[in-house]
Amino acid sequence: MTRTSPRKKVDALHWQGRSSAAQAYLEAAQQAYLLAEARQNCNPVISQIVLSAIAFGDSITARRAQVVNQQDHAQASRLLRDVLGNLMPDGQERRYRRILSFKDEAQYGARQASREEAGRLLADLEAFARWAQDLL
């Protein structure tokens, strides 16, 4: 059995589509959060947050090195660190990892996320997104 690399080569303009998708997921998460009620299951909000963070990470690595993470999103922060080196602040890496850690939990319904938890994660995403957009 051949092991595949966690990164995949992409064309020079791939980052633009991923950046557009990242922004769309961010806006969807913000809107869904605003509409969420106190006791509502916010896993769909968190799912949008995770998808946005993944797309922002992909847009950076695609723009800088024409590669994106493939399959294992737990490795996405490592690829981002590899591509950016010292330009990747430790705080942003922690924020990115924290957001990605919710992927399976939110998408497969392991537990119900609260509105407060979604709000904290959305704040992390907004900070990560501002930093990512500055790099793009």
Side-chain angles (χ1 to χ4, degrees):
M1 182 174 202
T2 305
R3 184 175 178 154
T4 60
S5 171
R7 55 181 79 191
K8 176 176 90 170
K9 290 289 270 174
V10 294
D11 67 65
L13 299 178
H14 183 85
W15 74 271
Q16 293 173 335
R18 293 304 284 151
S19 179
S20 177
Q23 187 62 40
Y25 285 128
L26 171 59
E27 291 168 8
Q30 290 167 328
Q31 292 168 7
Y33 176 75
L34 287 175
L35 295 172
E37 296 179 11
R39 288 189 166 76
Q40 184 174 334
N41 180 349
C42 285
N43 283 358
V45 177
I46 291 177
S47 196
Q48 297 293 327
I49 291 168
V50 170
L51 291 172
S52 179
I54 290 169
F56 274 118
D58 283 350
S59 64
I60 293 168
T61 59
R63 175 105 194 248
R64 300 261 175 160
Q66 293 184 339
V67 294
V68 294
N69 186 61
Q70 181 178 321
Q71 298 172 340
D72 183 8
H73 290 107
Q75 297 299 317
S77 62
R78 179 173 291 150
L79 176 59
L80 194 54
R81 170 66 75 185
D82 289 348
V83 168
L84 293 177
N86 290 334
L87 292 177
M88 178 78 178
D90 291 340
Q92 293 296 357
E93 184 175 6
R94 280 190 303 275
R95 188 173 278 128
Y96 190 44
R97 283 180 189 215
R98 184 171 39 252
I99 293 169
L100 296 181
S101 73
F102 282 84
K103 181 181 183 293
D104 290 341
E105 191 173 295
Q107 291 185 332
Y108 301 118
R111 69 175 183 82
Q112 182 172 315
S114 69
R115 187 174 192 280
E116 293 77 26
E117 188 172 29
R120 286 189 300 272
L121 214 55
L122 182 57
D124 278 347
L125 173 62
E126 289 167 342
F128 183 76
R130 283 190 300 276
W131 170 78
Q133 289 164 336
D134 286 345
L135 284 177
L136 296 171

